[in-house]
Amino acid sequence: MPSGEYDPDTVEAKWQDRWVDDETYAYEGDVENPDTAFSIDSPPPTVSGSLHWGHVYGFTLQDFVARFNRMRGKDVYFPFGYDDNGIASERLAEDELGVRHQDYERREFQRMTQEVCEQYEAEFTEKMQSLGISIDWNQTYQTISPKTQRISQLSFIDLYEQGREYRQRAPAIWCPECETAISQVETEDDEQPSHFHDIAFEVVESDSIDADETFTISTTRPELLPACVAVFVHPDDDENQYLVGEEARVPLFDQEVPILEDERVDLETGSGIVMCCTFGDQTDIEWYQAHDLDLRLAIDESGTLTDVAGEYAGLSSEEAREEIVDDLEEDGALLDRRAITHTVNVHERCGTSVEFLVKDQWYVELLDKTDEYLEAGREMDWYPEKMFTRYKNWIEGLQWDWSISRQRSSGIPFPVWYCEACEHVVLAEKENLPVDPLSDEPPVDACPECGHDEFVPEDDVFDTWATSSLTPLINAGWDWDVEREEFTFENPELYQFDLRPQGHDIISFWLFHTVVKCYEHTGEVPFDSVMINGMVLDENREKMSKSKGNVVAPDEVVSKFPVDAARYWAAGSAVGDDLPYSEKGLRAGEKLLRKLWNASKLVESLTEDAPAEFDHEDLTQLDRWLLASLDREIERLTGRFESREFSKARDGLRGFFWHTFCGDYLEIAKQRVREGGDASAAYTLEVAHRRFLKLFSPILAHATEELWHDMYDDGESVHHSGWPEPLGVDADFEAGETAMEVVGALRKYKSDAKLSMNAEIDRVEVWGDVSGFEADISSVMHVEELETLDERPAVESVVTGVDLDYSLVGPEFGSQVSAIDDAIEAGEYETVDGELHVAGVELEPEMFEIEEERQYLGEGEMVEAGDAIVIVHEEA
RNA sequence: GGGCUCGUGGUCUAGCUGGUUAUGACGCUUCCCUUACAAGGAAGAGGCCGGUGGUUCGAAUCCGCCCGAGCCCA
C-alpha cells in the first residue's frame, strides 16, 4: 500500500533488478504466428567505456514504443548490441593490455579485444538496466563475435555473387608513421610551420607559345614534383588564361603535363597556378577523378620515394625535399623560398602528416540502383516524415560507389584470395566462414582460371559500416543453409523489423547502408518504420562535446533525479527535433511522479470497499462523465503513441490526469465516499485509477509498476497488463462540462472573496444544464442550497461589440471586410431580423455573434461560468 | 560553399492544409495551511510568433531574401 512520500531511489532500483531477474521483457518468439512479434532493430552503441546522455535519450524513445506495443499485446523483441568491432575498442584493448595489434594474428587480437571489451560491456549492461529500458537481455550480440564475422563475410560473398561488388584502384589516406590506412574521421587539421617554394615551370613550345615562356608555381611540397600530373588555372584568372590547353614541363623531372582549368584553384594562395600531384591532398584526388589524370606514385607506404622519382628514389620525403630544393636552386628554377604556417591533415593519433596512396579497394555498386534504393526508402514509414528528405538528398547526391575496403591490421577480414599468377578472385566457401585469409588456406588447390597453385591473401578488412549495416540480419539469425543451398532466417518472424531508431546525424551512413545491404540480401526493405531522434543539446542549446566540457553524464543525472523523471523529460519534444538537456524538465517530471503517488494514496484509501463490479448504467452522472471523458482521452492517447507523438501523449495525459481527474473529479469523489460510502464513486475511482497506471506505464515505467503491485496485482507486471480499451460509457458531456465550469466559477468566487475553498456558501442559483451534477457541485464547493433556474435570471446585457466569423465573412465579402470592421468599430450597425446590417451589406446570423457583457442587477453576486450563469447568495 | 531542419512570453514547447482572443508546462507576482499532495490550489502579469519584403480582405501559418542555431556533404 502506497504510503508516505514516493522514494524513487529504492523503488526504481528494486524494479530494475526484478525486471532483469524475472525476465519481464523476454521475447517469447512464437515463430508460428509472425503477427504477434514487434521487433526493434536498435543500432548498437560503440563500446568505449561510457554511455552518454544522447544514448539515454535515444533508447528511452525506443522504450516508449516498446512498452506501448507490449501493452497492446505484442511480443516485443528489443535486443541490445555492443559495437566492439572498431578502432575505439581496438585501441582500448591495446591500451589496457599494453600491446600492439600488429604483433598478433588477427583472430587472436580480436579474441583479446573481445575479452577486454567484456568488462566494458558489463558496464554498459548495468547502466542500460539502471535506466529501466525494457531490453531483453537474452538477446544480445557483439559486432566482433565470430557469428557477426560470419554474417559479414556471407554478406560480402552474396553481394559478390550477385555482381554487386568490384575491385578498383583508388586513393587511400595513409599514415606513414603507423603504416596504416586511416579513415577521414581519424584525421585532424594541424597548423604547422613550412616553406613556400616558388618554382619556375617551362611551358612546352607550341603554335601559340614561345620556347622560353615560363610560369611560377608555389608549393610547400617540392618533393612531389615527380608525382606532378597536371597544372591548374582558375577559370576567372584572366592573366594566366592563355596557358590553358598548353602543356608544362616539370623541372628536374621533365615530364610534360597538361595545363587545365578548374574552379577549385585557390587564387589567393601563391601564384594562383597550382600543380596537381598524385597525391598531395584531397583536392588532388578530386582533380584526378574529375579530369581523368595519370597516376604517378612517387611515395610509398613508408614515406620513401619510389622509382618514379628517378635519382631520388629511396630517399625519405624530407631528404628528397632538401635535395630537390638544392637541385632546383642550382638549375635556377627556385625563384623564392619563404617561411609560412599552413594547415595540414595529420593523423589524430600520432600527429604525422598523412599521405595519399593508391590501393586496390573493394566497392559495393550503388550508383546504378539509386532509384530502387530511393523507392526502398519510400516504402518505410518515417517518423517524422520530413526526415525522409535527408535520405532522399543523400541518395540524389551520391557520386561514388561505396568503398568497403579498409587497410587496417585489425577488423573483419575479406574472405578472399587472389591467384598469384592471374589475380583471379577466390572466395571462401560459405560453410567455412568466418575465415581469415592471412591464416587460413584458400578452398582450392589450384586457380580455377589458370591452374596456378600459389595464392595471395587479401589483407584488407571491412569498413565497420559494412558490418554495422547488417544488424537486422544479425538479429533475425540470417545464415547460409548448406543443405538447401539458400539463405535462411532463424527467426523469420522478426524480419522486416517494425522499428528502426536512428539519430538524424547518421541517416546517410548507417540507415542508408543498412537499407541497401538488407534489401540486396533479402529482396525486402528491412524496416517497416524508421524513427529519427534529434540530438541532445546542453542547457544553452549547444551541442555537447568533450572539448567544450558540457557533456552531461547519465550517472550524474540519475543520481540527482528519478529515472522516470528523465523519461518524462525525454518525451518532451517532437520526435526528430533536437532536445536541450533541462533540469527544469526533469523537475517537472518529479512533480508528476509526486502527484501520481499522492493521488494514488488517496484513491487507495477511498477504494478499500469498492465493489469489483458495478452496472455502468447505474453509475451517477458524474462518474459516467469521468469514465466517458477518460475513454476519449484513451483514444487520443492511443493515436498519439501510434504516431509516436510522445510529447503530445505525455502532455495530454498529464493534463487530463492532473486537472480533470485530480482537480475536478477526485475532490468530489472523496467527499462522496467519505461521507456516504458511495459505491458508485469508489468503483469509478478504482477503474479510472487502474487505467491511469496503464496509460502512464510506457513513460513512468517504475512508479506505475510500484503502484500497480502495491494496489492491484502483485503477480503480474503493469507492463503486461494490457492497454485499456474504451469502456463505451454514455455520458452527458455538455452537462458535465457546464458543471465543472460552475465549480470553477465558485472557486474563483471564493478566491476573489478571499475565502478558503472549504468555506460554506449559503445559497447558489445556477442557470444552465447541470442536471445530475447538482449534488456534486454542492458537496465539493460546500454549498448549503443549490437551485437550478428554469429561466434566465434578470440580466442586463450591454452590447460591447460584434464578433465576426471571418472564415465565412472573408470569402463572402472579400475586400469589403475592412469597411465592415471599421463600421462595427464605429458602432454603425444594426441587427434586423437576426441579420447584421453594416456598411451596406447584410450578414447572415451564422456569420457573427453579438458580444455582450452581462450585468446582474438582482440580489446576490453573479459569476459567469462559460455559457452558464451562477448567482451566489450569502446571508452574511 | 551546397543541401536539410529549426527559430513562438525569462525557459522548454503546442499551433504552422491562412480566419483576427497564440497552447501548455517551468519560472515570476498576489492570495489561500481545504486531513492525497504548500514540491498543493486559485487568480494574475508576461509574447508585435528571428528580421525584412511579397501574396491575400486577412499571415505565427504560404512565397522570396537576410540573420542565427543544429546536422550532413564539400
Side-chain angles (χ1 to χ4, degrees), chain A residues 268-300:
Chain A
E268 308 300 311
T269 308
S271 63
I273 308 179
V274 62
M275 68 174 179
C276 169
C277 309
T278 52
F279 297 102
D281 61 19
Q282 288 286 358
T283 317
D284 286 349
I285 294 172
E286 287 174 37
W287 279 331
Y288 161 75
Q289 282 159 338
H291 298 276
D292 198 19
L293 301 171
D294 289 340
L295 264 183
R296 289 178 64 87
L297 304 174
I299 298 181
D300 73 4

Side-chain angles (χ1 to χ4, degrees), chain A residues 600-855:
Chain A
S600 298
K601 278 198 297 189
L602 177 59
V603 169
E604 166 96 85
S605 72
L606 297 172
T607 55
E608 276 161 27
D609 302 321
E613 311 231 347
F614 203 105
D615 192 334
H616 290 174
E617 301 282 312
D618 298 334
L619 291 169
T620 70
Q621 269 282 11
L622 178 75
D623 297 335
R624 275 185 281 138
W625 172 79
L626 189 265
L627 292 179
S629 301
L630 183 54
D631 271 3
R632 284 186 173 180
E633 181 55 32
I634 289 171
E635 285 183 46
R636 265 201 301 269
L637 183 70
T638 306
R640 285 167 174 173
F641 268 118
E642 278 174 340
S643 53
R644 294 169 193 168
E645 296 172 288
F646 307 126
S647 179
K648 289 181 189 173
R650 179 192 83 166
D651 293 344
L653 179 59
R654 179 192 181 280
F656 183 80
F657 172 75
W658 199 298
H659 298 117
T660 304
F661 182 69
C662 295
D664 296 339
Y665 181 77
L666 202 42
E667 291 294 332
I668 299 173
K670 76 175 173 195
Q671 290 186 9
R672 281 171 46 200
V673 174
R674 278 181 185 156
E675 288 162 19
D678 192 315
S680 174
Y683 170 84
T684 305
L685 277 171
E686 181 168 327
V687 169
H689 183 260
R690 274 175 179 270
R691 306 193 131 219
F692 277 117
L693 291 185
K694 289 164 180 261
L695 298 174
F696 272 121
S697 74
I699 297 174
L700 309 177
H702 303 78
T704 53
E705 185 79 311
E706 174 73 6
L707 289 165
W708 181 258
H709 282 259
D710 255 9
M711 294 172 67
Y712 301 123
D713 186 345
D714 199 29
E716 188 197 43
S717 168
V718 69
H719 301 294
H720 285 287
S721 66
W723 192 249
E725 292 292 325
L727 292 169
V729 176
D730 267 337
D732 186 340
F733 279 107
E734 275 188 40
E737 286 308 317
T738 308
M740 293 311 135
E741 277 169 350
V742 169
V743 170
L746 290 171
R747 281 211 184 104
K748 184 168 160 52
Y749 168 81
K750 287 187 177 181
S751 178
D752 289 348
K754 311 218 160 145
L755 296 168
S756 70
M757 285 299 143
N758 60 355
E760 295 287 330
I761 299 178
D762 296 324
R763 191 160 66 89
V764 167
E765 290 173 308
V766 174
W767 182 73
D769 178 15
V770 291
S771 54
F773 294 88
E774 297 91 338
D776 295 318
I777 296 169
S778 303
S779 74
V780 73
M781 293 318 294
H782 301 89
V783 176
E784 203 104 318
E785 192 185 334
L786 185 129
E787 197 182 326
T788 53
L789 303 173
D790 297 331
E791 282 180 38
R792 190 183 170 113
V795 163
E796 183 177 280
S797 296
V798 180
V799 174
T800 53
V802 176
D803 192 14
L804 296 180
D805 182 346
Y806 287 93
S807 64
L808 297 173
V809 176
E812 178 75 23
F813 298 104
S815 57
Q816 296 171 75
V817 170
S818 57
I820 294 172
D821 279 337
D822 292 346
I824 289 172
E825 184 69 24
E828 292 161 3
Y829 61 88
E830 55 178 348
T831 48
V832 180
D833 297 333
E835 292 185 340
L836 184 73
H837 291 210
V838 60
V841 299
E842 296 170 11
L843 304 192
E844 300 295 314
E846 63 271 19
M847 291 180 171
F848 69 96
E849 206 169 326
I850 301 293
E851 275 181 347
E852 43 193 37
E853 209 160 82
R854 294 181 283 200
Q855 283 179 328

